[in-house]
Structure formats: structure tokens, C-alpha cells
Amino acid sequence: MWRNCVRLARGLGRSAVLRPDPKVSRCGVVRGLSPAVPCSPLWNSVTWLSQARQSKDYALPNSSWSQGMMDLYSRFLEMCKDGTWKRIPSYSNSIDHIPESLKLTSEKERKETRFFPRNMNTEGVGFEYAMFLNPSEKRMVCLFQPGPYLEGHPGFAHGGSTATIIDSTIGGCAIFAAGRVMTANLSINYRNPIPLGSVVLVDSKVDQVEGRKVFLSCQVRSIDGQRLHAEATALFIQLDSTKSLQQQMSS
Amino acid sequence: MWRNCVRLARGLGRSAVLRPDPKVSRCGVVRGLSPAVPCSPLWNSVTWLSQARQSKDYALPNSSWSQGMMDLYSRFLEMCKDGTWKRIPSYSNSIDHIPESLKLTSEKERKETRFFPRNMNTEGVGFEYAMFLNPSEKRMVCLFQPGPYLEGHPGFAHGGSTATIIDSTIGGCAIFAAGRVMTANLSINYRNPIPLGSVVLVDSKVDQVEGRKVFLSCQVRSIDGQRLHAEATALFIQLDSTKSLQQQMSS
């Protein structure tokens, strides 16, 4: 996967980047394991996200994006043309991220809340990011430019902001594998701090699905691929839409 | 530790809560291991944080705090009177959290950045929290009330916001054990989602110190102690103030 990612960042063209991984079956499980749950119908469609067409899509370029962010975004957009990659829209309200059919009763009403990574009013100061999904590789990539309001150590992104973008990317990947899911475990190794204003590539993939469990992994690298900023593993649990979140996490 | 925490939340009084743990030596290492680094001089003093006295301290009550948050805060403040617990101030600029003597050359200048958990202008919408340090138990507790702009699943705190408050609390604890540190690993088990507007107790402690490595653990519970929301382990690395952050994380 990483070799593909470096090629992608270096612009070696679609044929190199998008070659299907022989270890990944289209609707199966990575690394030769049998699928325990059927492939989510969401893998091949992001149309459910268009339900929120009246809401602003924040995963589009704005004047705060650096040239490096713009270049990488354009490269991914180019790779969307044949349908192998798909751009994922993003909204400031959490309920816009949930398909109508998967909403719990308590989630039908729009409230004055904000989706955490999209909670800032000013462009460029917080999380600037755009995600792209590769259904055949069960892979979600996020282009991330941390702004000056995400600071931890002076000049660098807070460990919590790195955890947030990893959780969001890897969680987005899990959603397309298993529908509604919730993080059960997230383990992050921080290798090199991420400078504020830089652009990094968060590259996540489904490793395995076992019943309601979805195992994923992720790497965060500089766009030239040379610097590993963080790597993570995660376990997500597929939710039962007939129960409340608290009911199923306690069980 | 947890037994103490429940007693504390239930208000059984200082004598029960603050009884020294016989497994914890005052400047040593928890659980009978020999200390590999000398006790940080920061353990017994938070006066270095008063350097930022011209900056606003955000770890003070405001009108957005719920009654539950206020009650818990008052209880901890009461326990500060004999010096066993210490209230930790908190600022919106990262450099105010670093003692002057530990700042790198590049960190002397104040910039238009914001400390991630203190980046919102409006009270109550983001991270509302206050931390208290117990030096003799090498323990840092954080009272946390997540606001409506920290949403993940509708009505609940985003996994990244939970990771952020854990990283900040556990990191604060590590700072008092070893001076300047950086997160190397953070592993979180999410047990029960945290409702927005609720109040939880983030309770972290130093488990072990080995050379430059500081191992810590943490639990996040409802204030009545009945519900475990998350538990985490972390490894922090003590930094060398003569090197840049990137130099030492790469080594």
C-alpha cells in the first residue's frame, strides 16, 4: 500500500497507483481471510452523502490551502475520473454524515451542534482536509493541512488533533466497509511531529473484518513520502441501528 | 486509585481520598520499581505556570459550566487547601504552558497560534476543563465537560476529542514527572460514548519511568464512577531541550 502511496505522491500516474492489490478481493477481506459480513453497499456508492446537498461541503479548496495541498488535491481529483477513486464530501453537522436509512430515531432532528473536525468558522485555522475513497482497495486517504489553532508543542500539531484526523479517516474507511460503526480501540505511534501549515497524507485501509469487528491500519506521511509522522491501528464495531449507542457499547 | 476516585466523586471527604498510596514513594516510581530519572522539580511546584499571569486562565469556572461540573470543581478546590492537590492553570497559547527555562530558541517568540484544546472563542461550545495535580500520587485529574462543537456520532463526543483530552491530561501528568515530553504512543479503548454536555473525570497517573520513557495510564469515568467511558495507556518521551523536536523524535 505504501509503495502505491509514494508513487501517487510523486505523480507517477494512475496506472502505477491504481493497480488492484491482488491480496484484496472486491467485496472480501484483505489478506486471504474469509469475509464474515457481506460487503457494505456503501462501498460502491457515495451518493447517500449527497442527501446533504443543501449543506456546505467543506472538503473543497479554499484560499487557505497551500500549493502543496492544491497540487495533491488536483492529482486525486484526476484519479477520480474513471471512478476508481471517489471524492468524499464533508459537512459541519454530524447528521449530514449519516444516511437517512441508518439514522436512529433520536438523530432525525437537526441540532445546534458541530462535527468536531469542522467546528471552526474561519478557513485555514483548524482542520483543512479532503478525503478520497478507493473502494476496490478498501482504502481511504485524507489530505490534511493542520492550521495554527491545532497547536500542541509550539509550531506543531497537538497529538489530539493528529488522533482526530486519524480517527476520522480510518472511521470513514470503516463506514464504507460496515455501515455505521464506532471506535472501540485506537492505538497511535507518534514518530515525527507534524509542522503546522504543512500537508500530510493520512492513508488508511481495512485489514480484516470479523463479524461486527472491522480492523484497520493507517500511516501519516509527508507528501513526498519521506517522513513517517504517525502510524496507527484501530478496531471499529459495526452498530445495530435498532439500539442506542450506549446500549451496544455496554454489551 | 479508582477506589479513591469514586470516594472523591461521592464526596466522602479528604481523609478517605487523600490517604497516600503506600505503593507510591514521593519522588520514586510507582509499583516498586527503582526510579531511573530523578524526580522532576516540577512535581512540587506549579509556580512556573504563573509566568503567564498576563494571559487569561481558562481553567476557571464560567457560565457554561453545569452544576455537576461546578460541584466537582469546588470539591477539588477544597482539597487543594492543604497542598496535597494543586489546581493547574491553562492558557490559549501553547508557549504559556512551557517554563521559560525549558523553551527552545524557536519558541521564544509569541505567535498567532492557539493551543488546540483552548482554541474556541465562545465559552461552553468546545473543551471545558480544569486539571488538578496530586504530586505525591503522580496523578493528574481533569474535569471535562464536552461542548456541542465536539460532536462525533450525534449527541456524543467525537473519538478525537476524547483522545485530545486524554492526551492533554496524561501529557500534563508526564510533564510534571519528566519536564518536557512528547507523546510516543497513545492507545485508547473506547467503552461508552460520552454524551455532549455531560461531565466526566479523566484520571491519569504515572505507572513507571525508565530512562527517558514515562509510562502512564488513564481512565475516563462518569462523575458517579458508575460508567467507564474510556481507558488508555500512553508512552511519553522526555525531550532534550538542546535539540529540535524533529531531531529527537527521529532518533
Side-chain angles (χ1 to χ4, degrees), chain A residues 93-95 98 107 112-117 119-120 127 148-154 156 158-161 163-164 167-168 180-193 195-196 227 229 239 245-246 249-250, chain B residues 93-95 98 107 112-117 119-120 127 148-154 156 158-161 163-164 167-168 180-193 195-196 227 229 239 245-246 249-250:
Chain A
N93 197 305
S94 297
I95 64 167
I98 305 169
E107 296 169 350
E112 289 302 310
T113 55
R114 291 206 191 163
F115 185 55
F116 178 43
N119 69 5
M120 307 297 292
F127 294 89
Y149 283 18
L150 305 189
E151 192 167 52
H153 280 270
F156 296 94
H158 190 286
S161 70
T164 299
D167 186 45
S168 299
R180 287 201 72 176
V181 292
M182 184 163 266
T183 321
N185 175 266
L186 180 62
S187 180
I188 302 172
N189 287 320
Y190 294 87
R191 301 298 188 192
N192 278 288
L196 297 176
R227 185 175 289 270
H229 291 287
L239 298 181
L245 300 188
Q246 285 177 323
M249 293 304 283
S250 303
Chain B
N93 198 303
S94 298
I95 64 167
I98 305 169
E107 296 169 349
E112 290 302 310
T113 55
R114 291 207 191 163
F115 185 56
F116 178 44
N119 69 5
M120 307 297 292
F127 294 89
Y149 283 18
L150 305 189
E151 192 167 51
H153 280 271
F156 296 94
H158 191 285
S161 71
T164 299
D167 186 44
S168 299
R180 287 201 70 177
V181 293
M182 184 163 266
T183 321
N185 174 266
L186 180 62
S187 180
I188 302 172
N189 287 319
Y190 295 87
R191 300 298 188 192
N192 277 287
L196 297 176
R227 187 175 288 271
H229 290 288
L239 298 180
L245 300 188
Q246 285 177 323
M249 293 304 283
S250 303

Side-chain angles (χ1 to χ4, degrees), chain B residues 5 19 32 58 63 73 76 93 98 101 113 134 144 150-151 177 192 197 207 217 227 246 250-251:
Chain B
C5 197
R19 190 175 52 219
Y58 286 85
S63 61
Y73 179 81
F76 269 96
N93 198 303
I98 305 169
S101 61
T113 55
N134 184 321
F144 174 43
L150 305 189
E151 192 167 51
N192 277 287
D207 288 330
S217 58
R227 187 175 288 271
Q246 285 177 323
S250 303
S251 61

Side-chain angles (χ1 to χ4, degrees), chain B residues 69 72 142-146 165 194-195 198-202 220-223 229:
Chain B
M69 182 80 167
L72 197 55
C142 175
L143 293 45
F144 174 43
Q145 178 184 298
I165 203 70
I194 302 174
S198 69
V199 180
V200 295
L201 204 61
V202 186
V220 183
R221 286 194 179 257
S222 55
I223 53 175
H229 290 288

Side-chain angles (χ1 to χ4, degrees), chain A residues 53-169:
Chain A
R53 66 173 74 87
Q54 292 180 326
S55 300
K56 178 180 173 182
D57 178 2
Y58 287 84
L60 293 169
N62 65 54
S63 60
S64 78
W65 285 22
S66 67
Q67 193 58 49
M69 183 81 167
M70 283 302 302
D71 290 348
L72 197 55
Y73 180 80
S74 300
R75 215 168 298 163
F76 269 96
L77 218 52
E78 183 66 27
M79 295 192 299
C80 288
K81 287 184 177 169
D82 69 358
T84 315
W85 287 85
K86 294 170 193 293
R87 194 186 74 82
I88 306 296
S90 175
Y91 308 101
S92 64
N93 197 305
S94 297
I95 64 167
D96 287 334
H97 292 88
I98 305 169
E100 208 57 47
S101 61
L102 295 182
K103 281 180 185 164
L104 304 175
T105 311
S106 61
E107 296 169 350
K108 301 286 182 189
E109 188 191 345
R110 180 174 293 266
K111 296 187 177 142
E112 289 302 310
T113 55
R114 291 206 191 163
F115 185 55
F116 178 43
R118 295 291 186 198
N119 69 5
M120 307 297 292
N121 290 324
T122 308
E123 289 174 349
V125 299
F127 294 89
E128 289 294 339
Y129 66 95
M131 293 189 193
F132 291 87
L133 175 76
N134 184 320
S136 70
E137 295 182 358
K138 298 195 184 322
R139 181 177 165 201
M140 181 81 89
V141 162
C142 175
L143 292 46
F144 174 43
Q145 179 185 297
Y149 283 18
L150 305 189
E151 192 167 52
H153 280 270
F156 296 94
H158 190 286
S161 70
T162 305
T164 299
I165 203 71
I166 288 175
D167 186 45
S168 299
T169 306

